[in-house]
Amino acid sequence: MFEADDRQAARTQLLTDIPRLVSDAGKTMLVGSFYEAAYSATPAHMNDIHVAMLESEELEVITCNGGIRRKGNTIQIKDTLRLKDQRTFFPMFRQKPAL
């Protein structure tokens, strides 16, 4: 398990790594596909990943019915991660994700 400082650093890194991974895949990515790509590359806890998905200024988590997820514990593998239309400048500083 992480020390408190290490876990916080990992959480912060997720806020840039997750949108970058989705961006590399296109504009959208199924949550199930994200899990396959990310879980083997990060020691981050699932709850931290879900929080980062929802707190990201770059992403939305879209349900199968087109709604927007607002709680991490409701995210499902059939949901879609989508880059928001109004985005910040993170692509200007592109680097390989730590995930």
Side-chain angles (χ1 to χ4, degrees), residues 11-88:
R11 287 177 181 167
T12 301
Q13 187 65 42
L14 287 170
L15 292 173
T16 56
D17 286 349
I18 295 171
R20 193 170 289 120
L21 186 63
V22 174
S23 178
D24 288 347
K27 187 176 176 168
T28 64
M29 182 179 214
L30 286 174
V31 170
S33 297
F34 170 81
Y35 289 158
E36 289 174 12
Y39 275 138
S40 63
T42 181
H45 188 277
M46 181 176 69
N47 291 339
D48 292 342
I49 291 172
H50 285 178
V51 167
M53 287 176 177
L54 296 173
E55 287 183 355
S56 173
E57 295 178 11
E58 307 291 334
L59 294 173
E60 297 173 307
V61 181
I62 308 298
T63 68
C64 294
N65 297 328
I68 296 177
R69 292 266 183 227
R70 304 209 189 286
K71 295 183 179 181
N73 65 346
T74 64
I75 295 174
Q76 299 177 8
I77 61 170
K78 293 183 181 180
D79 290 343
T80 301
L81 288 169
R82 178 174 69 189
L83 295 174
K84 292 180 180 178
D85 291 331
Q86 184 82 26
R87 305 203 19 232
T88 64

